[in-house]
C-alpha cells in the first residue's frame, strides 16, 4: 500500500514539475487574474464611490456567486489542462514501474490538486485586487449592506441579496462558494480527461466546451429566455433547471434557503460527489483499453 501511494505521488510530482516549462499554465494564471480584475472592478469602484470598505472575501463572494463568472472562469481550464494526460518521453519509464490503475490514480490526484490551486488563485486574485479597501473581520460590510438592501446590487448585476447577509457570515459564505466552484471545475476536468482517454485531445476540449455550454443553457432564467416560457410557468422551469444544470448547483444564490424547491447546498454536495465518483469509475474502466502512443511530443 505504501509503495503504491509513493508511486501515485511520483506521478503527481512529475506533472507539477512540468509547470516550469509550460507556457499554457502560466497563461491560464495570467488570464485568471485579468478576468478576476474585470469581475471585481465594478465592486471596487462602487466601494470607492460610496466611500465604504469591504470584508476581504466580499469581492470573491459577489463576483463568483454568478453563473456567467463561473462559466467563463472554468472555460480557462481548457487551457490549464490542455495536455492532460501528458505523454512525453519520460512516461514509458513510469509505466514500466507501475500499473495503469496506479498511473491513472496519480493523474486523478494531480487533477484534484491542480484544480484546487486554480480555485485558490481565483480567491487570492480578488483579495490582491481589492485588499487595500478591505478588513478581515467576519462581519458584513456597509458596502455589502448597500448592495443587498438597495437597488445598487441589481444595477451592477451582482448577486448580493438580503438572504445571504441574513443567513450566513462572510467566512462561511466564501468557503461554500469556493467548494461549489471547485466541485464544478473538478467535474468538468474529469469529463475532459475521460473523453481524452476514450478518443483524443480534441474530443476532450469539445466535451469541456459542450458541458459548460449545456450547463449554462439549462440554468434558471437562461432557459426561460431562450424558450420564451411565460411568467406563469417560469417558476417550474427555473426549479427544474436548478436541479438539472451542474452550473446552477455551482451558483450559491440558486439554492434553497427555505423559500422554494431549488436544491439545497447539501443536495448540491451529494450531486457533485456522485458525478465525481461516476467519472472516476468511467476513467478507471476506460484506461484498460487506452492505447499509449509516444512520439516524443507528448501527444497520444
Amino acid at each position: 500500500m505504501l509503495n503504491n501511494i509513493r508511486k501515485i505521488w511520483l506521478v503527481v510530482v512529475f506533472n507539477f514539475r512540468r509547470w516550469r516549462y509550460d507556457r499554457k499554465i502560466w497563461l491560464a494564471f495570467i488570464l485568471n487574474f485579468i478576468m478576476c480584475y474585470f469581475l471585481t472592478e465594478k465592486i471596487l469602484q462602487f466601494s470607492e464611490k460610496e466611500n465604504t470598505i469591504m470584508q476581504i472575501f466580499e469581492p470573491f463572494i459577489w463576483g463568483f456567486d454568478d453563473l456567467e463568472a463561473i462559466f467563463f472562469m472554468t472555460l480557462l481550464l481548457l487551457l490549464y489542462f490542455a495536455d492532460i494526460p501528458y505523454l512525453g518521453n519520460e512516461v514509458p519509464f513510469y509505466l514500466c514501474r507501475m500499473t495503469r490503475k496506479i498511473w491513472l490514480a496519480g493523474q486523478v490526484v494531480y487533477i484534484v490538486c491542480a484544480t484546487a490551486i486554480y480555485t485558490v488563485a481565483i480567491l487570492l486574485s480578488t483579495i490582491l485586487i481589492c485588499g487595500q479597501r478591505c478588513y478581515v473581520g467576519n462581519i458584513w460590510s456597509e458596502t455589502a449592506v448597500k448592495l443587498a438592501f438597495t437597488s445598487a446590487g441589481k444595477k451592477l448585476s451582482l448577486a448580493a441579496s438580503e438572504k445571504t447577509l441574513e443567513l450566513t457570515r462572510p467566512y462561511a459564505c466564501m468557503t461554500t462558494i469556493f467548494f461549489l466552484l471547485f466541485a464544478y471545475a473538478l467535474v468538468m476536468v474529469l469529463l475532459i480527461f475521460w473523453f481524452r482517454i476514450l478518443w483524443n485531445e480534441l474530443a476532450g476540449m469539445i466535451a469541456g466546451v459542450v458541458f459548460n455550454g449545456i450547463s449554462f443553457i439549462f440554468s434558471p432564467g437562461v432557459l426561460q429566455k431562450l424558450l420564451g416560457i411565460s411568467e406563469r410557468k417560469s417558476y417550474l422551469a427555473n426549479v427544474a433547471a436548478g436541479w438539472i444544470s451542474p452550473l446552477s448547483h455551482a451558483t450559491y444564490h440558486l439554492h434553497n434557503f427555505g423559500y422554494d424547491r431549488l436544491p439545497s447546498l447539501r443536495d448540491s454536495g451529494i450531486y457533485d460527489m456522485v458525478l465525481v465518483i461516476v467519472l472516476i469509475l468511467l476513467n478507471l474502466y476506460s484506461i484498460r483499453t487506452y492505447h499509449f502512443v509516444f512520439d516524443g511530443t507528448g501527444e497520444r
Side-chain angles (χ1 to χ4, degrees), residues 26-40 64 73 76 118 121-130:
W26 299 111
L27 179 60
F29 278 113
I30 292 170
L31 292 175
N32 179 322
F33 183 84
I34 292 173
M35 291 191 68
C36 285
Y37 174 80
F38 284 119
L39 288 170
T40 57
F64 290 92
M73 292 303 291
L76 288 178
Y118 181 81
I122 293 174
L123 175 61
L124 293 179
S125 295
T126 60
I127 293 174
L128 183 62
I129 293 167
C130 302

Short mmCIF file of all heavy atoms in Angstrom, two decimals, residues 26-40 64 73 76 118 121-130:
data_model
loop_
_atom_site.label_atom_id
_atom_site.label_comp_id
_atom_site.label_asym_id
_atom_site.label_seq_id
_atom_site.Cartn_x
_atom_site.Cartn_y
_atom_site.Cartn_z
N TRP A 26 1.03 29.10 -17.26
CA TRP A 26 1.23 30.47 -16.81
C TRP A 26 0.29 31.44 -17.51
O TRP A 26 -0.17 32.42 -16.92
CB TRP A 26 2.69 30.88 -17.02
CG TRP A 26 3.62 30.01 -16.24
CD1 TRP A 26 4.50 29.10 -16.72
CD2 TRP A 26 3.73 29.94 -14.80
NE1 TRP A 26 5.17 28.46 -15.69
CE2 TRP A 26 4.70 28.95 -14.50
CE3 TRP A 26 3.09 30.60 -13.75
CZ2 TRP A 26 5.06 28.63 -13.20
CZ3 TRP A 26 3.44 30.28 -12.45
CH2 TRP A 26 4.40 29.30 -12.18
N LEU A 27 -0.02 31.16 -18.77
CA LEU A 27 -1.00 31.99 -19.48
C LEU A 27 -2.38 31.87 -18.83
O LEU A 27 -3.10 32.87 -18.70
CB LEU A 27 -1.07 31.57 -20.95
CG LEU A 27 -2.07 32.33 -21.83
CD1 LEU A 27 -1.75 33.82 -21.85
CD2 LEU A 27 -2.09 31.77 -23.24
N ALA A 28 -2.73 30.66 -18.41
CA ALA A 28 -4.01 30.45 -17.75
C ALA A 28 -4.09 31.24 -16.45
O ALA A 28 -5.13 31.85 -16.14
CB ALA A 28 -4.23 28.96 -17.47
N PHE A 29 -2.99 31.27 -15.67
CA PHE A 29 -2.98 32.04 -14.43
C PHE A 29 -3.07 33.54 -14.70
O PHE A 29 -3.74 34.29 -13.97
CB PHE A 29 -1.72 31.73 -13.62
CG PHE A 29 -1.82 30.47 -12.80
CD1 PHE A 29 -1.04 29.37 -13.10
CD2 PHE A 29 -2.70 30.39 -11.74
CE1 PHE A 29 -1.13 28.21 -12.34
CE2 PHE A 29 -2.81 29.23 -10.98
CZ PHE A 29 -2.02 28.13 -11.29
N ILE A 30 -2.41 34.00 -15.75
CA ILE A 30 -2.46 35.42 -16.10
C ILE A 30 -3.88 35.81 -16.52
O ILE A 30 -4.41 36.85 -16.07
CB ILE A 30 -1.46 35.73 -17.23
CG1 ILE A 30 -0.02 35.57 -16.73
CG2 ILE A 30 -1.66 37.15 -17.78
CD1 ILE A 30 1.03 35.63 -17.82
N LEU A 31 -4.50 34.99 -17.37
CA LEU A 31 -5.87 35.26 -17.79
C LEU A 31 -6.83 35.17 -16.61
O LEU A 31 -7.81 35.92 -16.53
CB LEU A 31 -6.28 34.29 -18.89
CG LEU A 31 -5.56 34.44 -20.23
CD1 LEU A 31 -5.97 33.34 -21.19
CD2 LEU A 31 -5.84 35.81 -20.84
N ASN A 32 -6.55 34.25 -15.70
CA ASN A 32 -7.32 34.12 -14.47
C ASN A 32 -7.32 35.45 -13.70
O ASN A 32 -8.38 35.96 -13.30
CB ASN A 32 -6.70 33.00 -13.61
CG ASN A 32 -7.39 32.78 -12.29
OD1 ASN A 32 -7.84 33.70 -11.61
ND2 ASN A 32 -7.48 31.52 -11.90
N PHE A 33 -6.16 36.02 -13.53
CA PHE A 33 -6.04 37.28 -12.79
C PHE A 33 -6.75 38.42 -13.53
O PHE A 33 -7.44 39.24 -12.91
CB PHE A 33 -4.57 37.63 -12.58
CG PHE A 33 -4.35 38.88 -11.78
CD1 PHE A 33 -4.36 38.83 -10.39
CD2 PHE A 33 -4.14 40.11 -12.39
CE1 PHE A 33 -4.16 39.99 -9.64
CE2 PHE A 33 -3.94 41.26 -11.66
CZ PHE A 33 -3.96 41.20 -10.27
N ILE A 34 -6.59 38.48 -14.85
CA ILE A 34 -7.22 39.54 -15.64
C ILE A 34 -8.74 39.47 -15.53
O ILE A 34 -9.43 40.49 -15.36
CB ILE A 34 -6.78 39.45 -17.11
CG1 ILE A 34 -5.29 39.78 -17.24
CG2 ILE A 34 -7.61 40.39 -17.99
CD1 ILE A 34 -4.72 39.55 -18.62
N MET A 35 -9.30 38.25 -15.62
CA MET A 35 -10.74 38.10 -15.53
C MET A 35 -11.24 38.43 -14.12
O MET A 35 -12.32 39.03 -13.97
CB MET A 35 -11.15 36.67 -15.92
CG MET A 35 -10.95 36.38 -17.39
SD MET A 35 -11.70 34.83 -17.94
CE MET A 35 -13.44 35.23 -17.78
N CYS A 36 -10.47 38.10 -13.11
CA CYS A 36 -10.83 38.47 -11.74
C CYS A 36 -10.86 39.99 -11.59
O CYS A 36 -11.72 40.54 -10.89
CB CYS A 36 -9.85 37.86 -10.74
SG CYS A 36 -10.07 36.10 -10.46
N TYR A 37 -9.93 40.65 -12.25
CA TYR A 37 -9.89 42.12 -12.20
C TYR A 37 -11.16 42.71 -12.80
O TYR A 37 -11.79 43.60 -12.20
CB TYR A 37 -8.66 42.64 -12.94
CG TYR A 37 -8.63 44.15 -13.04
CD1 TYR A 37 -8.21 44.93 -11.97
CD2 TYR A 37 -9.05 44.79 -14.21
CE1 TYR A 37 -8.20 46.31 -12.05
CE2 TYR A 37 -9.04 46.17 -14.30
CZ TYR A 37 -8.61 46.92 -13.22
OH TYR A 37 -8.62 48.29 -13.30
N PHE A 38 -11.57 42.21 -13.97
CA PHE A 38 -12.77 42.74 -14.61
C PHE A 38 -14.02 42.43 -13.80
O PHE A 38 -14.96 43.24 -13.76
CB PHE A 38 -12.90 42.19 -16.03
CG PHE A 38 -11.96 42.82 -17.02
CD1 PHE A 38 -11.01 42.05 -17.68
CD2 PHE A 38 -12.01 44.18 -17.28
CE1 PHE A 38 -10.13 42.63 -18.58
CE2 PHE A 38 -11.13 44.77 -18.18
CZ PHE A 38 -10.19 44.00 -18.84
N LEU A 39 -14.05 41.27 -13.15
CA LEU A 39 -15.22 40.88 -12.37
C LEU A 39 -15.35 41.68 -11.08
O LEU A 39 -16.46 41.92 -10.60
CB LEU A 39 -15.16 39.39 -12.04
CG LEU A 39 -15.41 38.43 -13.22
CD1 LEU A 39 -15.07 37.00 -12.81
CD2 LEU A 39 -16.85 38.51 -13.68
N THR A 40 -14.24 42.08 -10.50
CA THR A 40 -14.27 42.81 -9.22
C THR A 40 -14.15 44.32 -9.39
O THR A 40 -14.33 45.06 -8.42
CB THR A 40 -13.13 42.32 -8.31
OG1 THR A 40 -11.87 42.50 -8.98
CG2 THR A 40 -13.30 40.85 -7.95
N PHE A 64 -18.30 35.75 -7.70
CA PHE A 64 -18.41 34.36 -8.14
C PHE A 64 -19.66 33.66 -7.62
O PHE A 64 -19.76 32.43 -7.71
CB PHE A 64 -17.15 33.59 -7.76
CG PHE A 64 -15.97 34.02 -8.58
CD1 PHE A 64 -15.13 35.02 -8.12
CD2 PHE A 64 -15.75 33.49 -9.84
CE1 PHE A 64 -14.07 35.47 -8.90
CE2 PHE A 64 -14.69 33.92 -10.61
CZ PHE A 64 -13.85 34.92 -10.15
N MET A 73 -14.75 31.55 -16.13
CA MET A 73 -13.54 31.17 -15.40
C MET A 73 -13.21 29.69 -15.60
O MET A 73 -12.04 29.31 -15.69
CB MET A 73 -13.68 31.48 -13.91
CG MET A 73 -13.72 32.97 -13.59
SD MET A 73 -12.28 33.90 -14.18
CE MET A 73 -11.00 33.27 -13.13
N LEU A 76 -11.36 28.60 -18.84
CA LEU A 76 -9.90 28.72 -18.85
C LEU A 76 -9.23 27.38 -18.50
O LEU A 76 -8.06 27.18 -18.81
CB LEU A 76 -9.43 29.80 -17.88
CG LEU A 76 -9.70 31.25 -18.30
CD1 LEU A 76 -9.22 32.21 -17.21
CD2 LEU A 76 -9.02 31.56 -19.62
N TYR A 118 -5.95 26.22 -8.81
CA TYR A 118 -6.58 27.19 -9.71
C TYR A 118 -7.68 27.96 -8.98
O TYR A 118 -7.80 29.18 -9.11
CB TYR A 118 -7.17 26.46 -10.92
CG TYR A 118 -7.83 27.36 -11.92
CD1 TYR A 118 -7.08 28.06 -12.87
CD2 TYR A 118 -9.22 27.51 -11.95
CE1 TYR A 118 -7.69 28.88 -13.80
CE2 TYR A 118 -9.84 28.32 -12.87
CZ TYR A 118 -9.07 29.01 -13.79
OH TYR A 118 -9.69 29.83 -14.71
N ALA A 121 -6.19 30.36 -6.59
CA ALA A 121 -5.66 31.51 -7.33
C ALA A 121 -6.75 32.54 -7.61
O ALA A 121 -6.50 33.75 -7.57
CB ALA A 121 -5.02 31.05 -8.64
N ILE A 122 -7.97 32.07 -7.88
CA ILE A 122 -9.10 32.98 -8.09
C ILE A 122 -9.37 33.77 -6.82
O ILE A 122 -9.51 35.00 -6.84
CB ILE A 122 -10.35 32.19 -8.51
CG1 ILE A 122 -10.16 31.57 -9.89
CG2 ILE A 122 -11.58 33.10 -8.51
CD1 ILE A 122 -11.31 30.65 -10.32
N LEU A 123 -9.43 33.07 -5.69
CA LEU A 123 -9.68 33.73 -4.41
C LEU A 123 -8.59 34.74 -4.07
O LEU A 123 -8.88 35.88 -3.68
CB LEU A 123 -9.80 32.67 -3.30
CG LEU A 123 -9.96 33.19 -1.87
CD1 LEU A 123 -11.24 34.01 -1.73
CD2 LEU A 123 -9.95 32.02 -0.89
N LEU A 124 -7.33 34.34 -4.23
CA LEU A 124 -6.22 35.23 -3.91
C LEU A 124 -6.17 36.43 -4.84
O LEU A 124 -5.79 37.53 -4.42
CB LEU A 124 -4.89 34.46 -3.98
CG LEU A 124 -4.69 33.37 -2.93
CD1 LEU A 124 -3.34 32.68 -3.13
CD2 LEU A 124 -4.78 33.94 -1.52
N SER A 125 -6.57 36.26 -6.09
CA SER A 125 -6.59 37.37 -7.04
C SER A 125 -7.58 38.44 -6.60
O SER A 125 -7.28 39.64 -6.65
CB SER A 125 -6.95 36.86 -8.45
OG SER A 125 -5.95 36.01 -8.95
N THR A 126 -8.76 38.02 -6.16
CA THR A 126 -9.76 39.00 -5.71
C THR A 126 -9.27 39.74 -4.46
O THR A 126 -9.52 40.94 -4.30
CB THR A 126 -11.11 38.33 -5.42
OG1 THR A 126 -10.95 37.33 -4.40
CG2 THR A 126 -11.65 37.65 -6.67
N ILE A 127 -8.57 39.00 -3.57
CA ILE A 127 -8.04 39.64 -2.36
C ILE A 127 -6.95 40.64 -2.72
O ILE A 127 -6.90 41.76 -2.19
CB ILE A 127 -7.49 38.57 -1.40
CG1 ILE A 127 -8.64 37.71 -0.86
CG2 ILE A 127 -6.73 39.22 -0.24
CD1 ILE A 127 -8.18 36.53 -0.02
N LEU A 128 -6.07 40.26 -3.65
CA LEU A 128 -4.98 41.13 -4.06
C LEU A 128 -5.50 42.40 -4.75
O LEU A 128 -5.00 43.49 -4.51
CB LEU A 128 -4.05 40.37 -5.01
CG LEU A 128 -2.80 41.11 -5.50
CD1 LEU A 128 -1.90 41.48 -4.34
CD2 LEU A 128 -2.04 40.25 -6.51
N ILE A 129 -6.51 42.26 -5.57
CA ILE A 129 -7.05 43.40 -6.33
C ILE A 129 -7.77 44.39 -5.41
O ILE A 129 -7.63 45.61 -5.56
CB ILE A 129 -7.99 42.90 -7.44
CG1 ILE A 129 -7.20 42.12 -8.50
CG2 ILE A 129 -8.72 44.08 -8.10
CD1 ILE A 129 -8.07 41.33 -9.46
N CYS A 130 -8.54 43.86 -4.47
CA CYS A 130 -9.39 44.73 -3.63
C CYS A 130 -8.89 44.87 -2.20
O CYS A 130 -9.53 45.55 -1.38
CB CYS A 130 -10.82 44.20 -3.61
SG CYS A 130 -11.58 44.06 -5.23
#
